[in-house]
Amino acid sequence: MGKRNKINTILALALGAQLLTPMLAAAEIRLEGTDDPQTFTVMDTNEDYAGSEYRLDIASYDGAAELYSDSSMDPSIPYTIDVSDPGTWIPNFDLDNPHPVTFNIDTVKINTEDANDDEVVDSKTYTWSMVSNIYGSVLAPPELANRLTITITSGTGASVTLRNGDPGVSYADDALAFSYDTTESGPYQIAAQVDGRDYAAMKLYPSYMNRYLRETKIEADDSVHSYFAVEAGKLIPYSVNDRASFKPIDASEDGDEVSFDSNDDAVSTVPLPFDFKFYNETYSDVSISTNGTLSFDNFARRDTHGFQEYPSSIMPPSIYAFTSDLYLHVPDDAGAEPGEDAQAPSHVYTRTVGDEGDRQFIVQWDHVYRYGDEDLAPLTFQAVLYERTGDVRVQYVSTASPAADYTSGSNAVSGIQGNGFNTQNGLLYAMNEPKLTDGLALCYGVSPRCGEAGPVLQSATMTSGSKKITLVFDKALDTRTSLTNQFTLSGSPVTINAAEYDMTDASHKTVILNLSSAPAAGDELRVSYLDNAVRDVAQGIYSEAAADFAVEVNEAPPVVTPPVVTPPTPSGGTDNSGSTTNAAGLPGIAGGGEQAQIATGTVTQTDGRSIMTAVIDSAKLADLLAKAGDKPVITLPVTGSMDRVVAEANGGMMQSLADKSAALTVQTPFGSFPLPVQAFTAKALSALVGSQVQPSDVTIRASITKADEAQLKQMQEAAAKGDFTLLAPPVAFAVTIAYNGQSYAMNDFQSFVKFELPLPAEAEAGQLTTAIALEPNGGFHSVPTAGANRNGSHAAIASSLTGGLFAPVQHAVKLTDVRFHWSRSAVNDLASRMVVNGSGDGQFHPDSSVTRAEFAAILLRALGLQSSASGQAYRDVNSSDWFAGDVAAAAMFGLVSGYEDGNFRPANTVTRQEAMVMIARAMKLAGMETSISDIQAASLLAAYRDFASIGTWAAPSAAILIQNGLVQGGDGQLRPTGQITRAETAVIVVRLLQQAGLIDKQG
């Protein structure tokens, strides 16, 4: 290559500029592929440059650094570039760190007298890069072929989801095969899901063992790609049940001791009492290591074991019960007196229990030790193989240690992996968050039950002529689990439209099947379901499968018409001047079945809208309360085609309800309003009107109103702005107080009120995400929302401290960087509810810390509280700061407090103990019990080794959170002074909302 042009090329590559060569005619330099996948050729097709007076200069660059160069006389003769030798033209074949390479090719006219005056007459630059063609398959029966998704995530975090029928994806031979090209680097995480539930996973490390160069291709844009076929092999379905209960078993009793050649890094192979199927292969023996690993290998590769890495590229199919650097302690003098050797001796035992066909093979590492644990705390843990199901249980008898530098398994991982020799894959279902702790039991398998019985179907019933079947199980279901495609029906042409949990059943034992139509008389329906129908994603316990369970059909009960008179709609069409119908009686119905006419309803027409005013009679309400028993729930149902319903009562009636701990709900076809009776006490009413009042002198009006056209338009604009979907028209709920000729709007209910918003018949329960409250300025915020099933119809339960205009919405969000993170369920839930935000690129950064401003904003949004318009509550918070309104509102509601100097310090990161104090305040605002005695608090905190480092100001809050299950700590510690992460914040906030009953208890 000419010296001048070479310098120009290096400068160009370093500066990111175009080549600093003279302006040339259109380049006629061409690349061509060959039959050899490792090579391609280059030549200049311009006939004027043929012959010995010209040459080709070829150089490759990694960034600005030249890798290799060469010259070829006569540019018209193809010059072959071979990329098979890394270190010459290309730097490497490392698909985990691919380096695109720039090829600069010049056609040079040779100056025979002075080489420095060689002239570049043609020039072209090409880019060469590697492409991974990832191919493999997922073992699956035909019925799952179209329900499977395969997500491939590269080492850079880029991901793609494939489905049957997509290019390169097809089903055959009991497996869904896939093939996908990517220029992204490895390693590649491959995860298969069925109906959104984890099904199989692996981690693919490209290397010479599983990849080969398939072809080198010149693309249409003149780029050069070398395609490497990277074999993923066949993914075998496995998952982990991290809710398996701890089983007290002891293999040291009547067990066989395993002998080893040495006390560390040693392996012993023992026969299995039964053939055991693992990763689709059957084994008759197992290798046990001193390092807490079981390995299976039919090819006698027993001497190659990697103990410090999970998954390991050199391990055979393995179970990692405790992956760490462990050793066995064997006393030097077996006859030493007690106390002469402080360490308990180590043993590894095996034991078989159970009857043939249902046996369990137990391996117990008993009092083994971890290198580096100065206090020599012994570890005892077990692995159990199940003959009948092929499940694997690992459980931890003793892992804790008081040693400061030993954190109860922080360097250990429990998991399983497939054969590292062939495909270098590892199952991603591994436990390292939370850390391994005493009493933890994990169950791995295709349907991991580990001998535990799941919920069993007790009854299947329906009412004649209805379209719903009610299933009742004998124990609680995991309501976080999707029931999609789990149930089938026979004995009738009707089909199941949807299956859902009956959220009105507090015991969580009931499922509702919604049918396409009512079965015909004489149909004998039978229901069947899969054994994982009530299991959560990689969590929970399976149900026991049922086939052809008979459905009992009951006759519909006789209809009892209550003493209700539905006010007639005024005749004569719309009267915009206002018209009034005759009054009609309205019933009050107590939860125990008592009912009586307690109100008089009158309908008026105003501006074309029908308004019902129901005036409650105090004497009749008192009579109903007297008959209803303790803590009655009174419902005032209003039927008919109304646009607005107003329930009117005086404060004395509300006081009577409050005194009896009663509830009063106004129920309409378009919304239900449970009145906040505790907010209408004499003290509360006096504070509202500004003077002492008698409650009976105050008129309270609670209204439920369909949105008008202007409000509907505002909500639709908000939906477009927020990228969410309205599931039903908005409804307004409000309370006004009338006293002494003045009207007052009640803007603080003092506790959360649960407004009910019916969903249309065509809406499915799974579509509901949250509810939105429209703000006066056209803005919006979400409010905590749960789902409900009301006699087979869906509804949203929106909780708020104030009234407002509310609408149920659908808004599903999945942030890309939590796909494999332990917090993904909570993070995606809060993101969908518009409580937390990503960084704009779909990233959440779960392991980053949280500032005080961010934490205040998350708490405010989680509780559905509106940001303050004033926006300034502290000296160091400017009204222009994005968080100003959130911090001001959080301070007003008592969620956060500033410092003595009047500053808030919004950019400071939040410690765990600071977070626990603020969460405890949010719990109190949400109506949860937050009182705790000093003795209770001390007892709860004493369970953690670092309890002494908790500030006295934070200790009660920490104890309250522990008592309510909002925090659990890890490694026997709370780490109160450590920074709380975004992931930890999301998980605790979800637990808070669930425990307070503000959202559904689901992942």
Side-chain angles (χ1 to χ4, degrees):
M1 174 182 286
K3 181 177 180 181
R4 179 184 63 188
N5 194 54
K6 184 173 182 178
I7 293 173
N8 285 341
T9 300
I10 295 173
L11 285 172
L13 292 168
L15 297 173
Q18 293 182 348
L19 294 176
L20 306 178
T21 52
M23 185 68 68
L24 304 171
E28 297 183 65
I29 296 172
R30 294 286 182 267
L31 302 184
E32 297 288 344
T34 71
D35 293 336
D36 185 345
Q38 304 178 30
T39 65
F40 61 95
T41 63
V42 58
M43 62 180 295
D44 196 321
T45 59
N46 191 326
E47 296 180 357
D48 293 338
Y49 303 148
S52 59
E53 296 179 1
Y54 297 87
R55 73 169 186 269
L56 278 180
D57 284 348
I58 306 118
S60 64
Y61 296 85
D62 182 4
E66 182 181 294
L67 297 170
Y68 190 74
S69 63
D70 197 8
S71 296
S72 171
M73 303 304 292
D74 193 349
S76 65
I77 299 175
Y79 178 86
T80 300
I81 296 175
D82 189 340
V83 297
S84 65
D85 185 10
T88 54
W89 293 109
I90 62 172
N92 58 58
F93 273 171
D94 184 1
L95 295 176
D96 288 346
N97 185 25
H99 283 252
V101 171
T102 300
F103 279 89
N104 184 69
I105 304 166
D106 294 331
T107 301
V108 180
K109 183 176 183 181
I110 301 172
N111 187 319
T112 56
E113 297 181 358
D114 187 352
N116 289 327
D117 286 338
D118 287 350
E119 179 185 0
V120 176
V121 294
D122 202 352
S123 185
K124 188 111 182 224
T125 300
Y126 295 91
T127 300
W128 172 91
S129 58
M130 293 182 285
V131 177
S132 294
N133 170 238
I134 302 167
Y135 70 99
S137 61
V138 181
L139 189 67
E143 59 267 23
L144 297 185
N146 293 322
R147 293 161 55 192
L148 265 172
T149 60
I150 301 170
T151 300
I152 302 174
T153 303
S154 71
T156 63
S159 64
V160 63
T161 298
L162 308 174
R163 294 172 176 82
N164 190 19
D166 287 349
V169 185
S170 62
Y171 184 81
D173 300 325
D174 294 322
L176 186 66
F178 61 90
S179 175
Y180 179 72
D181 293 339
T182 179
T183 58
E184 300 288 341
S185 63
Y188 304 101
Q189 298 182 43
I190 305 175
Q193 292 189 320
V194 175
D195 302 327
R197 295 179 298 124
D198 290 342
Y199 180 75
M202 68 173 292
K203 197 167 188 177
L204 178 62
Y205 296 88
S207 77
Y208 70 93
M209 299 175 68
N210 60 11
R211 59 126 170 99
Y212 67 91
L213 182 54
R214 190 186 67 199
E215 67 173 321
T216 296
K217 184 178 178 182
I218 314 302
E219 309 290 2
D221 60 357
D222 283 343
S223 61
V224 185
H225 286 154
S226 286
Y227 288 82
F228 288 82
V230 185
E231 181 184 5
K234 183 171 290 186
L235 276 72
I236 310 299
Y238 271 96
S239 58
V240 62
N241 169 6
D242 65 4
R243 292 188 176 184
S245 59
F246 185 87
K247 298 291 185 183
I249 52 179
D250 189 355
S252 66
E253 296 182 0
D254 301 324
D256 298 319
E257 185 164 1
V258 181
S259 61
F260 297 93
D261 293 337
S262 64
N263 297 336
D264 62 352
D265 290 345
V267 176
S268 182
T269 300
V270 300
L272 289 170
F274 48 81
D275 288 342
F276 185 71
K277 191 172 184 178
F278 188 67
Y279 274 96
N280 224 34
E281 295 287 341
T282 300
Y283 302 93
S284 58
D285 56 28
V286 63
S287 294
I288 304 171
S289 82
T290 57
N291 278 322
T293 305
L294 298 183
S295 300
F296 304 92
D297 193 346
N298 284 336
F299 303 98
R301 289 176 292 194
R302 307 290 187 181
D303 57 341
T304 306
H305 291 268
F307 302 116
Q308 305 302 316
E309 179 185 0
Y310 172 83
S312 170
S313 62
I314 61 172
M315 286 287 279
S318 301
I319 300 163
Y320 294 77
F322 199 111
T323 303
S324 188
D325 197 0
L326 306 178
Y327 68 92
L328 307 183
H329 172 62
V330 179
D332 293 333
D333 183 0
E337 292 295 326
E340 292 183 7
D341 191 332
Q343 287 181 262
S346 303
H347 304 275
V348 179
Y349 298 102
T350 65
R351 182 185 176 191
T352 303
V353 298
D355 299 326
E356 186 173 353
D358 195 19
R359 288 170 290 186
Q360 300 170 33
F361 178 72
I362 306 162
V363 181
Q364 178 170 313
W365 290 262
D366 195 77
H367 292 85
V368 299
Y369 295 83
R370 176 178 176 268
Y371 281 108
D373 179 12
E374 295 177 357
D375 283 0
L376 303 176
L379 313 171
T380 299
F381 53 93
Q382 302 160 332
V384 184
L385 310 184
Y386 286 79
E387 179 182 17
R388 182 171 63 88
T389 61
D391 292 344
V392 176
R393 175 194 293 272
V394 291
Q395 59 182 27
Y396 305 91
V397 180
S398 174
T399 63
S401 164
D405 64 342
Y406 181 73
T407 52
S408 188
S410 64
N411 294 321
V413 173
S414 171
I416 63 177
Q417 77 160 64
N419 192 347
F421 290 94
N422 293 335
T423 60
Q424 299 181 259
N425 69 56
L427 186 71
L428 299 183
Y429 298 117
M431 285 298 295
N432 55 4
E433 284 291 349
K435 307 301 183 189
L436 306 183
T437 56
D438 294 3
L440 174 68
L442 309 172
C443 183
Y444 297 99
V446 177
S447 300
R449 190 182 288 124
C450 284
E452 298 186 30
V456 176
L457 183 61
Q458 299 293 292
S459 66
T461 59
M462 69 180 303
T463 301
S464 177
S466 77
K467 297 193 295 183
K468 297 184 184 299
I469 297 175
T470 300
L471 307 179
V472 178
F473 291 79
D474 67 338
K475 62 183 69 172
L477 309 176
D478 189 339
T479 54
R480 295 176 298 173
T481 305
S482 169
L483 300 178
T484 303
N485 298 318
Q486 301 297 337
F487 295 85
T488 59
L489 198 64
S490 60
S492 173
V494 302
T495 58
I496 299 172
N497 281 347
E500 61 194 15
Y501 297 103
D502 183 355
M503 302 309 294
T504 63
D505 175 12
S507 66
H508 305 309
K509 298 179 181 179
T510 308
V511 170
I512 304 295
L513 302 183
N514 297 298
L515 308 183
S516 59
S517 60
D523 284 352
E524 295 183 0
L525 277 70
R526 308 186 79 83
V527 66
S528 303
Y529 60 90
L530 304 179
D531 66 351
N532 60 342
V534 291
R535 184 179 175 277
D536 183 33
V537 177
Q539 291 183 341
I541 297 174
Y542 283 80
S543 67
E544 298 294 324
D548 294 331
F549 195 100
V551 178
E552 179 182 347
V553 181
N554 301 314
E555 293 301 319
V559 178
V560 178
T561 305
V564 179
V565 179
T566 301
T569 302
S571 59
T574 301
D575 182 354
N576 291 332
S577 64
S579 62
T580 305
T581 67
N582 294 327
L586 295 173
I589 304 174
E594 295 289 341
Q595 61 182 30
Q597 180 182 318
I598 63 169
T600 301
T602 304
V603 178
T604 61
Q605 285 278 328
T606 302
D607 296 328
R609 292 169 68 83
S610 298
I611 302 172
M612 152 74 80
T613 302
V615 180
I616 299 174
D617 186 293
S618 59
K620 294 179 179 179
L621 176 63
D623 288 342
L624 182 59
L625 281 174
K627 299 175 184 177
D630 294 333
K631 298 182 180 179
V633 177
I634 309 297
T635 302
L636 180 63
V638 178
T639 59
S641 180
M642 305 294 167
D643 295 301
R644 187 183 190 202
V645 172
V646 181
E648 184 176 301
N650 65 54
M653 301 180 204
M654 296 295 108
Q655 185 70 62
S656 298
L657 289 164
D659 291 344
K660 202 168 182 180
S661 299
L664 176 61
T665 296
V666 181
Q667 189 179 77
T668 77
F670 49 91
S672 296
F673 191 166
L675 303 187
V677 295
Q678 298 294 338
F680 303 123
T681 62
K683 182 179 180 181
L685 293 172
S686 297
L688 185 64
V689 302
S691 61
Q692 288 293 325
V693 298
Q694 289 294 324
S696 58
D697 295 334
V698 177
T699 300
I700 299 167
R701 297 185 178 93
S703 62
I704 310 174
T705 310
K706 292 180 180 178
D708 58 26
E709 291 185 6
Q711 290 172 320
L712 178 59
K713 182 179 179 181
Q714 278 186 299
M715 190 63 83
Q716 290 170 336
E717 290 172 349
K721 181 179 179 181
D723 194 27
F724 54 80
T725 302
L726 296 178
L727 296 179
V731 178
F733 299 85
V735 174
T736 58
I737 308 298
Y739 174 72
N740 200 22
Q742 298 291 321
S743 182
Y744 307 85
M746 175 170 276
N747 296 318
D748 181 6
F749 295 154
Q750 300 182 18
S751 61
F752 277 91
V753 173
K754 298 187 175 184
F755 304 111
E756 184 167 319
L757 302 164
L759 300 180
E762 62 271 15
E764 296 183 4
Q767 291 180 289
L768 175 66
T769 303
T770 188
I772 292 299
L774 190 67
E775 298 169 359
N777 62 359
F780 62 90
H781 64 273
S782 67
V783 294
T785 305
N789 187 301
R790 300 293 188 238
N791 298 318
S793 298
H794 303 303
I797 309 298
S799 298
S800 178
L801 289 173
T802 66
L805 185 71
F806 302 94
V809 304
Q810 181 180 21
H811 180 250
V813 173
K814 289 188 177 180
L815 297 168
T816 58
D817 62 342
V818 295
R819 173 68 181 83
F820 296 101
H821 200 272
W822 62 271
S823 67
R824 63 174 179 179
S825 178
V827 169
N828 287 331
D829 190 18
L830 291 186
S832 298
R833 295 178 186 274
M834 300 175 238
V835 174
V836 299
N837 301 315
S839 58
D841 57 354
Q843 304 283 304
F844 180 70
H845 307 293
D847 299 315
S848 298
S849 58
V850 184
T851 67
R852 285 170 55 82
E854 291 169 337
F855 201 90
I858 289 172
L859 281 186
L860 195 77
R861 296 171 192 158
L863 295 173
L865 307 177
Q866 185 176 342
S867 182
S868 172
S870 60
Q872 189 163 3
Y874 298 99
R875 290 166 48 188
D876 58 346
V877 177
N878 298 317
S879 58
S880 59
D881 291 332
W882 68 265
F883 50 80
D886 293 339
V887 169
M892 180 179 66
F893 282 102
L895 299 174
V896 300
S897 58
Y899 293 87
E900 293 180 356
D901 59 3
N903 289 322
F904 183 69
R905 301 173 192 169
N908 283 13
T909 54
V910 178
T911 64
R912 288 184 176 84
Q913 61 183 353
E914 290 172 336
M916 288 189 280
V917 169
M918 289 184 275
I919 290 288
R921 294 169 182 164
M923 291 171 62
K924 184 176 181 179
L925 187 61
M928 296 179 67
E929 178 59 54
T930 57
S931 61
I932 192 169
S933 68
D934 292 342
I935 294 176
Q936 285 177 306
S939 176
L940 288 167
L941 295 175
Y944 297 90
R945 299 201 306 271
D946 57 351
F947 73 92
S949 62
I950 303 172
T952 55
W953 53 274
S957 296
I960 289 167
L961 266 67
I962 295 168
Q963 181 174 254
N964 284 274
L966 269 64
V967 297
Q968 300 164 348
D971 311 330
Q973 299 182 85
L974 284 174
R975 300 189 297 278
T977 58
Q979 294 179 353
I980 193 169
T981 65
R982 288 167 62 82
E984 292 167 336
T985 300
V987 170
I988 294 174
V989 168
V990 167
R991 289 174 183 165
L992 161 67
L993 296 176
Q994 290 176 339
Q995 296 282 33
L998 300 178
I999 65 173
D1000 295 324
K1001 288 190 176 182
Q1002 56 188 25

